[in-house]
């Protein structure tokens, strides 16, 4: 199979993983696409005129569709797929058919991914489809490996029911009340390990949320390590961070507080005598630093952006003087 | 050139398991079975990335079988694996439903060769499942090969496993020394357990008939710094090869030069040449 055939198969594989019939992403596109036919002047409340649970499901589907567009942008940027294949599948369609871009350019949808729940990769995707920016990809084998690693992490995150339970509980209790409840349940390392070893289906809602918080901490550490491995390609590193940036930025306060609280809880436990207390605290601080770094996006790409910005300011100042 | 659909994806009918499937239909299958408290993929660190890139290893499908290797009874785990293996032997395409783009879907052809690779408890699960299949007169068993890393078939002190890792969060591992384990497997894998005595005797009986050669492992790799399993040879298995590793690292690789990976590749290439 030649490279063109490989890239096409990659795209079909991505579609199967993230945009298969019956998936949230496809339902999200279909509902938005239908709405443009029904409503001349499309508004959210045209879609939201039903009960909360359906509205929540709708939001989940629209988020799924937008996430798929962002994944396609990452795939193009990594040269895992070829822009023209993506256009052929989702953009260069008969005029009577709605394309991804048609839906993404509806002003309420645009408003949603620009401001309500910012997902900057979707804007990049729209531009890529319209302006044919073929040369913005990164053609090297490592980029493909980075992208595949990203897909593995994202698939695992999607499958994690406990992490979803954590966010449900967090929105009910808030970070401080959740921390109090968690402390009451986790008096010793044994109590946490017992929870982690039990099948998820035997856990009550609070227990699931605690396991979810543990899993989320694990996700943060995994994703931080992943971004570190991408530092040789800061364009990709930045794009991979941006995929979750809305999530990190929107949830920074609550999430940061909850993640800090579980790490501090570990540090309050009595360490076995054989363990040096200093090593324990060092490890705790390293863990917290990694979480902070991920939530703030303090990676090489940020540093380079700041350096460029400083250089531009300096040039501008010199120009004025 | 990409040879497999990566990353490995969950098998819809066995959601703890993953598969890295070749882009074209192949006739060889490698099935990895993890050990106590293991994980389908993480136990075999980087094998899923490295194997498809290795010359001579492209014409394999790779399955990373997952199961509850803490709370479940040994025989129950073996029975579940037996069921999975029966499908792989008789109608493999049904397992891959929903895992491949239409353009890469498989037809009903069976695998010519299936290699089962077990670590620690995984080796015992594989052996128990094969005993059952032999007893049931299942077809196609002669196409099976066995490769084991630090197998627990001669007994193990599993409580020591957790001392090495209770969580991927390294901060939590500081507390491993004071955590108690409550798993039925700890007793079931003690060297004189009823389960292991039965496994040993039943295997001997079958081998004595002169049939069932597939019950003998083709390769056994053991760790030089072993403190969990008893390294007494099992029935007619060949002499083990020692790897510079401990019980947990004996089945992990950092790169293609790592010893465990090199041994596995050599073993499967040898068999491919002989097939």
């Amino acid at each position: 199979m030649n490279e063109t055939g490989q890239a096409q198969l990659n795209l079909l594989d991505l579609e199967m993983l993230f945009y298969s019939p019956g998936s949230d992403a496809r339902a999200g596109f279909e509902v938005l696409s239908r709405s443009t036919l029904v409503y001349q002047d499309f508004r959210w409340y045209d879609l939201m005129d039903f009960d909360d649970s359906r509205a929540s499901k709708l939001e989940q589907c629209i988020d799924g569709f937008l996430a798929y567009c962002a994944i396609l942008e990452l795939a193009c940027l990594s040269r895992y797929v070829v822009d023209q294949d993506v256009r052929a599948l989702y953009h260069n369609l008969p005029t009577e058919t709605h394309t991804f871009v048609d839906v993404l350019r509806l002003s309420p949808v645009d408003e949603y991914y620009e401001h309500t729940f910012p997902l900057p990769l979707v804007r990049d995707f729209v531009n890529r489809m319209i302006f044919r920016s073929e040369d913005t990809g990164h053609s090297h084998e490592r980029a493909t490996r980075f992208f595949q690693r990203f897909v593995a992490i994202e698939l695992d995150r999607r499958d994690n029911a406990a992490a979803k339970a954590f966010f449900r509980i967090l929105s009910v209790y808030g970070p401080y009340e959740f921390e109090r409840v968690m402390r009451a349940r986790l008096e010793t390392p044994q109590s946490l390990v017992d929870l982690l070893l039990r099948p998820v289906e035997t856990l009550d809602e609070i227990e699931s949320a605690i396991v979810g918080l543990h899993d989320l901490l694990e996700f943060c550490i995994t994703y931080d390590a992943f971004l570190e491995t991408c530092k040789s390609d800061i364009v990709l590193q930045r794009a991979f961070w941006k995929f979750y940036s809305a999530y990190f930025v929107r949830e920074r306060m609550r999430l940061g507080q909850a993640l800090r609280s579980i790490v501090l809880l570990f540090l309050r436990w009595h360490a076995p005598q054989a363990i040096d207390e200093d090593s324990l605290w060092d490890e705790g601080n390293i863990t917290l630093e990694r979480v902070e770094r991920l939530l703030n996006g303090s990676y090489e790409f940020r540093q380079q952006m700041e350096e460029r910005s400083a250089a531009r300011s300096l040039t501008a100042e010199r120009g004025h003087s | 050139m990409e040879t497999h659909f990566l990353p490995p994806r969950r098998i819809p009918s066995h959601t703890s398991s993953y598969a890295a499937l070749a882009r074209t239909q192949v006739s060889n299958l490698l099935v990895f079975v993890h050990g106590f408290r293991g994980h389908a993929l993480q136990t075999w660190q980087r094998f899923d990335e490295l194997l498809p890139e290795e010359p001579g290893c492209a014409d394999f499908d790779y399955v990373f079988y997952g199961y509850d290797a803490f709370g479940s009874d040994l025989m129950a785990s073996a029975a579940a694996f037996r069921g999975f293996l029966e499908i792989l032997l008789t109608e493999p395409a049904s397992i891959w439903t929903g895992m491949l783009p239409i353009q890469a879907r498989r037809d009903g052809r069976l695998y010519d060769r299936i290699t089962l690779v077990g670590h620690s408890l995984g080796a015992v699960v594989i052996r128990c499942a094969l005993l059952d299949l032999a007893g049931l007169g299942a077809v196609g068993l002669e196409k099976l090969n066995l490769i084991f890393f630090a197998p627990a078939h001669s007994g193990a002190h599993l409580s020591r496993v957790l001392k090495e890792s209770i969580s991927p969060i390294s901060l939590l591992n500081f507390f491993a020394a004071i955590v108690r384990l409550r798993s039925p497997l700890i007793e079931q894998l003690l060297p004189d357990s009823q389960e292991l005595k039965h496994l040993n005797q039943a295997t001997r009986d079958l081998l004595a008939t002169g049939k069932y050669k597939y019950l003998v492992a083709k390769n056994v790799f053991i760790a030089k710094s072993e403190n969990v399993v008893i390294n007494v040879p099992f029935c007619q298995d060949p002499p083990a090869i020692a790897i510079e590793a401990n019980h947990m690292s004996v089945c992990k690789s950092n790169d293609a030069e790592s010893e465990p990976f090199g041994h596995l590749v050599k073993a499967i290439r040898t068999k491919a040449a002989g097939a």
Side-chain angles (χ1 to χ4, degrees), chain B residues 4-275:
Chain B
H4 287 70
F5 289 105
L6 293 174
R9 61 255 357 229
R10 276 180 203 271
I11 298 174
S13 55
H14 294 77
T15 53
S16 303
S17 304
Y18 296 76
L21 300 174
R23 291 185 168 224
T24 52
Q25 184 139 10
V26 292
S27 54
N28 301 310
L29 172 68
L30 217 64
V31 183
F32 292 88
V33 183
H34 64 77
F36 183 66
R37 282 281 293 130
H39 178 272
L41 284 170
Q42 288 157 14
T43 290
W44 309 97
Q45 180 182 293
R46 298 211 61 205
F47 278 46
D48 57 311
E49 297 169 50
L50 297 170
L51 277 168
E53 292 180 349
E54 195 62 25
C57 299
D59 57 342
F60 282 82
D61 282 333
Y62 297 102
V63 167
F64 299 86
Y65 181 76
Y67 61 106
D68 176 6
F70 181 77
S72 278
D73 171 83
L74 172 62
M75 293 305 164
S77 294
F81 181 63
R82 183 189 75 220
F84 184 69
L85 197 51
E86 273 181 307
I87 304 173
L88 289 175
L89 284 162
T90 55
E91 43 175 344
S94 68
I95 290 196
W96 316 137
T97 305
M99 295 182 67
L100 291 166
I102 294 168
Q103 293 73 1
R105 295 255 164 97
R106 305 297 176 78
D107 59 29
R109 270 177 285 172
L110 302 181
Y111 289 106
D112 293 337
R113 196 158 53 94
I114 299 178
T115 304
L116 307 177
V117 186
H119 172 239
S120 190
L121 166 68
V124 183
V125 169
I126 290 171
R127 284 204 186 276
C128 290
L130 290 192
L131 276 187
D132 285 355
L133 286 172
L136 291 167
V139 293
L141 298 178
E142 66 288 346
K143 60 177 77 169
L144 297 176
N145 290 301
L146 306 181
I147 298 176
F148 295 140
F149 287 84
H153 46 210
S154 296
H157 299 287
L158 290 181
S159 54
R160 294 175 189 162
V161 172
L162 203 70
K163 307 304 177 200
E164 302 210 21
S165 172
I166 54 173
S167 166
I169 300 169
S170 48
L171 178 59
L172 260 184
N173 292 328
F174 279 97
F175 302 100
I178 53 171
V179 172
R180 289 185 310 279
L181 283 175
R182 299 178 199 90
S183 163
L185 295 164
I186 293 173
E187 290 201 357
Q188 290 177 326
L189 259 66
L190 285 173
D192 57 350
S193 74
Q194 290 298 313
E195 287 81 359
L196 290 189
K197 280 182 189 164
H198 166 74
L199 176 66
N200 194 305
Q201 191 55 54
T203 306
R204 269 178 208 286
D205 292 346
L206 287 176
L207 289 175
T209 65
K211 303 179 201 168
Y212 310 105
K213 291 283 184 203
Y214 55 84
L215 294 177
V216 179
K218 293 289 187 293
N219 302 84
V220 178
F221 302 105
I222 59 175
K224 283 187 182 168
S225 306
E226 181 60 77
N227 69 340
V228 176
V229 298
I230 312 292
N231 278 330
V232 173
F234 186 87
C235 295
Q236 297 174 17
D237 283 357
I241 295 170
I243 292 179
E244 197 70 61
N246 62 32
H247 183 73
M248 302 298 276
S249 63
V250 73
C251 56
K252 291 179 173 54
S253 290
N254 292 321
D255 51 48
E257 306 304 316
S258 297
E259 215 183 336
F261 183 73
H263 280 297
L264 179 67
V265 167
K266 192 174 165 195
I268 61 178
R269 272 196 199 139
T270 306
K271 272 185 267 297

Side-chain angles (χ1 to χ4, degrees), chain A residues 225-289:
Chain A
F226 166 64
L227 292 175
E228 267 296 294
T229 64
C230 299
K231 66 182 173 193
S232 57
D233 187 331
I234 57 165
V235 174
L236 277 180
Q237 187 191 47
R238 178 166 178 248
F240 287 129
W241 183 77
K242 275 161 78 175
F243 184 79
Y244 296 113
S245 63
Y247 190 63
F248 296 144
V249 171
R250 190 180 69 169
E251 299 285 346
R252 188 179 294 153
M253 292 294 286
R254 295 194 316 157
L255 204 57
Q257 173 63 31
L259 289 166
R260 265 191 298 279
S261 68
I262 195 166
V263 173
L264 292 172
L265 184 74
F266 296 165
L267 292 171
R268 284 192 197 103
W269 285 333
H270 292 293
Q273 284 180 338
I275 299 299
D276 171 16
E277 284 284 336
D278 289 342
S279 309
L280 185 67
W281 278 88
D282 286 349
E283 189 60 40
N285 284 327
I286 291 168
T287 307
L288 284 173
E289 279 169 18

